Amino acid sequence: IEDALQEGVPETVKMVRDAGIRLWVLTGDKVQTAINISLSCNLLDSSMTILKLTDDFLENQNQDDSMVISEAEKKTLLMTALRNTLR
């Protein structure tokens, strides 16, 4: 089953982007599903860099691979990654 975008969504998202407003995708979908939806509604385009902040990404940010990081540490790493991306 595929949900269709509501009428006018791609055009509206493009206008918001063209106005210089930053948009973020935060989803529980599979990464590829989120990317496909974002491309179809003009939230992403081929010139953009996609930063995938997945559990694997967060685990790889841990300095000591022998440790399991807590949810709080994941949130801290996520915020650090986001701040670094915005610079």
Side-chain angles (χ1 to χ4, degrees), residues 37-55:
I37 292 168
S38 297
L39 288 167
S40 69
C41 73
N42 289 326
L43 189 57
L44 295 176
D45 66 40
S46 60
S47 70
M48 296 178 172
T49 300
I50 299 172
L51 177 61
K52 301 173 190 173
L53 301 175
T54 62
D55 280 340

Side-chain angles (χ1 to χ4, degrees), residues 2 15 25 31 48 53:
E2 182 178 319
M15 284 189 297
V25 175
V31 172
M48 296 178 172
L53 301 175

Side-chain angles (χ1 to χ4, degrees), residues 25-37:
V25 175
L26 179 61
T27 180
D29 285 329
K30 293 180 182 176
V31 172
Q32 195 56 52
T33 301
I35 291 170
N36 291 342
I37 292 168

Side-chain angles (χ1 to χ4, degrees), residues 1 13-14 18 21-23 33-34 40 45 49-50 53 55 58 73 75 79:
I1 298 174
V13 170
K14 185 175 182 330
D18 290 347
I21 297 171
R22 288 186 177 180
L23 301 168
T33 301
S40 69
D45 66 40
T49 300
I50 299 172
L53 301 175
D55 280 340
L58 294 174
E73 290 171 315
K75 289 177 185 173
M79 293 308 297

